[in-house]
Amino acid sequence: MKALDELTFDNRFARLGDAFSTHVLPEPLDEPRLVVASKAAMALLDLDPVVAETPVFAELFGGHKLWAEAEPRAMVYSGHQFGGYTPQLGDGRGLLLGEVYNQAGEHWDLHLKGAGMTPYSRMGDGRAVLRSSIREFLASEALHALGIPSSRALCVIGSSTPVWREKQERGAMVLRLAQSHIRFGHFEYFYYTKKPEQQAELAEHVLNLHYPECREQPEPYLAMFREIVERNAEMIAKWQAYGFCHGVMNTDNMSILGITFDFGPFAFLDDFDAHFICNHSDHEGRYSFSNQVPIGQWNLSALAQALTPFISVDALKEALGLYLPLYQAHYLDLMRRRLGLTTAEDDDQKLVEGLLKLMQNSGVDYTLFFRRLGDEPAALAVARLRDDFVDLAGFDAWAERYKARVARDGDDSQEQRRERMHAVNPLYILRNYLAQNAIAAAEAGDYSEVRRLHEVLSKPFEEQAGMEQYAQRPPDWGKHLEISCSS
Ligand code: AMP
Ligand code: MG
């Protein structure tokens, strides 16, 4: 276990030089204080969890202090936003403080979001508010606990610094951890600004540090792109299987590592709704829940375009062709497991689609349905769940097919079935209204609810005593909350 001054830095991205990032110092927040810290994320840095409560922790992650070895940099990138190309973006309010390596030899980027203005701030103030910092923190750690690849969050630091959004709010910082903060948009920036040397340097950097196994392949860059396609297919399959809606799948928000990244107006589905749009500025529904699947491919195509200097167009197309079949295989595999099935049959896709259609028409709670399905033997479970459906005849027909399918699957005990299903069907997810309750308390100076919710969500598959209130459908006020996009 390490103390805060014992972190070891190795700032590989900073060493790429000024063409890739600019040195900027964090702008401190007034009266920094710890809102919440993740012990699990601290462990990634070998940090002793007790240091979170020390004043120096809030000073370091509130922008007041810096390690001598840190080299804070704002990265430059660009990207396709809502389908249109924006030639220059970058860290407008976040700084890569440095890269820390742990005892296991892993490097972790320390990225401080809300750290003040940078050359890429455009019209923004460089700040993040408490509300959005708490949302990013909770989502990062909750997705990770569900087994969905994601950036991580070490802590949220609150302050008394006023920040103006639709109203006056308070500034905060979230310390994000990821093995890299390189986005699709980094490659697009050097491609469209016609800087082939730097683009090659970037590609070498990513290949050497993050895809070293691809070096062994006859075409290392192609192997790397294929791996990126595969990771995205798997990540998005998990989003769809668990009802996660990202909300802003611009290419500048897509990680080169295939992890969920840059949390904005995201949401988990309460009632199942394939057409759900969580981002209220997304008027066309470009990033609606079901569109995430084709948008994943669109984003990979944008990356492929930026990689044409290194890989032939035919090879890129072939690799892109892997996306949909891989997505479907991962998705179906997870959905089978969510239904408690251990074998595969040709009609399973139809079984899943039939269920989702019924859930859509009746507004059934997506998370609780699967959890309850595993509580009891299939026949009993569907009999109890029947009441949630409007189209009873439709549900009965589905239930018959399901029971027959379960019978063909094998005859394990109910205990085994429950254990197997509960291990993939969470009881607790980050519902918007739960986040909203925790935010309201934190804005009033009480951080206990954020901390409790974080704890509950860190073990989403485990029933926790006294935490029933976190496993409920939203109350009326909490349905379809409008989440502000100004963060
Ligand atoms: P996002 O929609 O949060 O992914 O941000 C898109 C771009 O706007 C990124 O380049 C951000 O760094 C920048 N940005 C967002 N909010 C602010 C802000 N308050 N101040 C400065 N830049 C910002
Ligand atoms: Mg972003």
Side-chain angles (χ1 to χ4, degrees):
M1 290 282 197
K2 287 184 178 171
L4 279 164
D5 57 2
E6 290 170 336
L7 295 182
T8 346
F9 283 84
D10 176 19
N11 305 320
R12 304 169 302 180
F13 192 87
R15 288 200 290 273
L16 288 174
D18 292 343
F20 297 86
S21 64
T22 308
H23 173 77
V24 181
L25 286 173
E27 209 179 302
L29 290 172
D30 302 329
E31 303 181 84
R33 62 201 74 154
L34 178 72
V35 174
V36 60
S38 163
K39 290 194 186 93
M42 289 177 79
L44 299 172
L45 307 181
D46 307 319
L47 278 176
D48 186 339
V50 301
V51 304
E53 302 294 339
T54 60
V56 67
F57 189 85
E59 285 163 9
L60 279 166
F61 300 117
H64 285 258
K65 281 199 169 145
L66 211 54
W67 296 262
E69 287 178 280
E71 293 176 75
R73 312 283 297 189
M75 303 165 111
V76 63
Y77 50 82
S78 63
H80 281 85
Q81 300 184 303
F82 289 92
Y85 186 65
T86 306
Q88 196 191 294
L89 291 160
D91 290 332
R93 54 166 166 173
L95 294 173
L96 177 58
L97 297 181
E99 291 164 66
V100 165
Y101 64 92
N102 64 16
Q103 278 158 3
E106 294 165 343
H107 282 69
W108 288 94
D109 281 4
L110 304 191
H111 184 100
L112 192 60
K113 194 164 172 179
M117 304 249 269
T118 78
Y120 314 109
S121 296
R122 299 189 294 168
M123 312 300 280
D125 57 5
R127 289 304 191 192
V129 294
L130 183 60
R131 164 175 57 80
S132 65
S133 305
I134 288 175
R135 280 173 53 85
E136 171 141 7
F137 175 90
L138 290 173
S140 316
E141 294 302 283
L143 261 73
H144 172 73
L146 285 171
I148 304 177
S150 174
S151 59
R152 304 293 302 275
L154 189 79
C155 63
V156 176
I157 303 299
S159 78
S160 60
T161 304
V163 173
W164 286 93
R165 292 298 179 257
E166 285 95 3
K167 57 181 172 59
Q168 189 187 304
E169 300 191 41
R170 298 291 176 193
M173 295 186 190
V174 59
L175 194 284
R176 181 164 64 193
L177 297 175
Q179 299 207 315
S180 167
H181 276 67
I182 297 175
R183 305 147 191 263
F184 290 10
H186 276 87
F187 283 93
E188 293 180 282
Y189 176 77
F190 292 104
Y191 174 74
Y192 288 106
T193 52
K194 302 196 166 56
K195 292 178 179 157
E197 277 161 35
Q198 273 123 12
Q199 212 208 5
E201 229 180 306
L202 179 71
E204 277 296 289
H205 179 90
V206 174
L207 184 68
N208 288 336
L209 302 190
H210 305 294
Y211 292 94
E213 65 290 352
C214 296
R215 272 255 167 261
E216 321 296 320
Q217 300 294 318
E219 286 190 67
Y221 287 133
L222 175 59
M224 176 168 85
F225 181 65
R226 231 185 252 137
E227 177 72 23
I228 296 170
V229 170
E230 287 175 18
R231 290 193 193 184
N232 272 269
E234 185 169 353
M235 171 186 76
I236 293 174
K238 290 184 173 173
W239 289 0
Q240 302 309 114
Y242 283 114
F244 177 76
C245 204
H246 180 284
V248 203
M249 289 174 71
N250 294 334
T251 57
D252 52 299
N253 292 337
M254 302 304 292
S255 156
I256 205 71
L257 301 182
I259 59 175
T260 315
F261 198 63
D262 260 17
F263 295 88
F266 69 85
F268 275 90
L269 299 180
D270 290 306
D271 296 354
F272 181 79
D273 180 5
H275 315 298
F276 184 64
I277 302 165
C278 62
N279 182 350
H280 290 274
S281 20
D282 183 7
H283 305 296
E284 323 247 285
R286 178 180 173 86
Y287 300 137
S288 74
F289 180 64
S290 56
N291 268 2
Q292 295 189 128
V293 181
I295 288 292
Q297 179 153 20
W298 195 97
N299 287 341
L300 287 162
S301 310
L303 175 63
Q305 181 66 46
L307 294 177
T308 48
F310 311 114
I311 308 166
S312 78
V313 171
D314 285 345
L316 284 165
K317 278 190 182 153
E318 204 183 305
L320 278 170
L322 298 171
Y323 172 80
L324 261 188
L326 278 172
Y327 162 80
Q328 265 151 356
H330 281 297
Y331 176 74
L332 194 54
D333 176 58
L334 244 177
M335 293 309 283
R336 275 194 188 105
R337 291 198 276 144
R338 296 206 73 182
L339 287 170
L341 303 173
T342 57
T343 57
E345 283 188 13
D346 288 348
D347 278 350
D348 290 345
Q349 174 85 29
K350 281 193 200 133
L351 191 70
V352 171
E353 283 167 5
L355 174 63
L356 294 184
K357 205 165 160 204
L358 288 160
M359 288 176 112
Q360 169 98 33
N361 293 342
S362 297
V364 172
D365 190 87
Y366 187 57
T367 300
L368 292 178
F369 177 88
F370 286 100
R371 184 72 182 192
R372 290 184 181 146
L373 192 63
D375 279 342
E376 288 163 317
L380 201 56
V382 291
R384 281 195 210 277
L385 286 161
R386 184 175 189 265
D387 287 349
D388 291 347
F389 290 81
V390 179
D391 176 4
L392 291 177
F395 182 73
D396 290 343
W398 182 84
E400 287 311 311
R401 282 201 288 148
Y402 175 65
K403 284 186 284 185
R405 177 68 183 85
V406 168
R408 287 196 302 278
D409 195 65
D411 52 355
D412 53 355
S413 70
Q414 169 53 19
E415 223 145 288
Q416 286 170 313
R417 172 180 150 90
R418 184 193 295 119
E419 199 177 303
R420 191 175 68 234
M421 289 182 73
H422 283 6
V424 288
N425 292 326
L427 182 56
Y428 311 103
I429 53 153
L430 181 55
R431 297 175 187 271
N432 261 342
Y433 91 94
L434 292 175
Q436 199 47 47
N437 279 340
I439 288 165
E443 285 178 338
D446 175 3
Y447 305 139
S448 60
E449 185 57 23
V450 180
R451 294 179 186 191
R452 192 157 48 235
L453 182 56
H454 162 61
E455 277 294 315
V456 171
L457 295 172
S458 68
K459 288 170 280 182
F461 301 106
E462 233 173 83
E463 187 161 354
Q464 297 164 49
M467 297 297 163
E468 298 78 16
Q469 73 270 31
Y470 297 102
Q472 308 290 332
R473 303 185 69 168
D476 280 341
W477 68 265
K479 290 180 184 162
H480 306 296
L481 287 175
E482 295 230 347
I483 299 303
S484 168
C485 299
S486 63
S487 56

